Amino acid sequence: MQKHFLVIHGPNLNLLGLREPEIYGSETLEQINQQLLNEALNLQIKLECKQTNTEGEIVNYIHEAFKNKINGLIINPAAYTHTSIAIRDALTAVKIPAIEVHLSNIHTREPFRHFSYTASVCLGQICGFGSYGYLLALQALNQSLNSKLV
Ligand code: DQA
């Protein structure tokens, strides 16, 4: 059966392209989503992309993903990575295999970005490769589900 993945982009990622391009690159979120949709087509995966600036909305997306029997999540919780026990708890509750993505290498930036509440409840974290990290996450999630490494 065809796999169905959901990509969740957190706060301020709607500003990609404009926002600190020296850190986050010059591509817009729409361009990144389009690349993901193209790759998903190649891999024969059904993919949806959502963005919100609100913490509770991310929690709701994760709950809906469970109801909609989504097979895998790619999530960039953005600043909520470093603060949100609620998003961590939602991921733990639904147990959907997830990969955390960051455009920047959060480990080489300010100390408050080094810790992630969510990474330890994900299959893995990909950071520091710009928008390419999302494509890596898509391939890794697909591969993990194929090899039942989840
Ligand atoms: C980010 C890194 C976070 O620390 C930051 O708050 C973001 C973007 C990234 O993709 O590099 O908003 O998640």
Side-chain angles (χ1 to χ4, degrees):
M1 216 177 57
Q2 193 184 30
K3 296 184 203 90
H4 188 175
F5 291 173
L6 173 67
V7 183
I8 302 175
H9 302 284
N12 299 306
L13 295 173
N14 54 315
L15 298 181
L16 286 177
L18 296 173
R19 176 190 182 202
E20 299 176 277
E22 67 288 357
I23 296 177
Y24 299 116
S26 55
E27 283 162 301
T28 64
L29 191 60
E30 252 179 45
Q31 289 169 328
I32 293 172
N33 286 342
Q34 198 49 58
Q35 288 164 15
L36 277 167
L37 290 166
N38 292 343
E39 182 62 7
L41 206 62
N42 283 339
L43 298 171
Q44 296 180 323
I45 291 166
K46 185 174 170 198
L47 188 86
E48 275 178 82
C49 302
K50 296 186 176 185
Q51 189 275 331
T52 176
N53 293 319
T54 312
E55 182 179 14
E57 200 65 41
I58 296 180
V59 171
N60 288 338
Y61 287 163
I62 294 168
H63 294 180
E64 280 164 26
F66 179 71
K67 276 193 230 141
N68 296 335
K69 299 191 181 355
I70 297 284
N71 308 105
L73 292 172
I74 294 169
I75 181 164
N76 182 349
Y80 292 132
T81 305
H82 320 297
T83 62
S84 181
I85 299 171
I87 294 173
R88 177 196 169 92
D89 283 352
L91 290 169
T92 308
V94 302
K95 293 191 174 66
I96 301 173
I99 297 189
E100 179 175 309
V101 173
H102 300 284
L103 296 141
S104 63
N105 183 348
I106 55 173
H107 303 288
T108 59
R109 298 183 62 195
E110 304 95 321
F112 64 83
R113 295 187 203 273
H114 296 181
F115 178 72
S116 167
Y117 275 102
T118 40
S120 55
V121 295
C122 289
L123 295 177
Q125 181 194 64
I126 296 173
C127 70
F129 299 103
S131 65
Y132 187 54
Y134 286 102
L135 294 176
L136 291 172
L138 178 55
Q139 288 160 4
L141 194 52
N142 188 40
Q143 187 62 33
S144 302
L145 287 164
N146 285 347
S147 54
K148 303 207 165 40
L149 278 173
V150 290

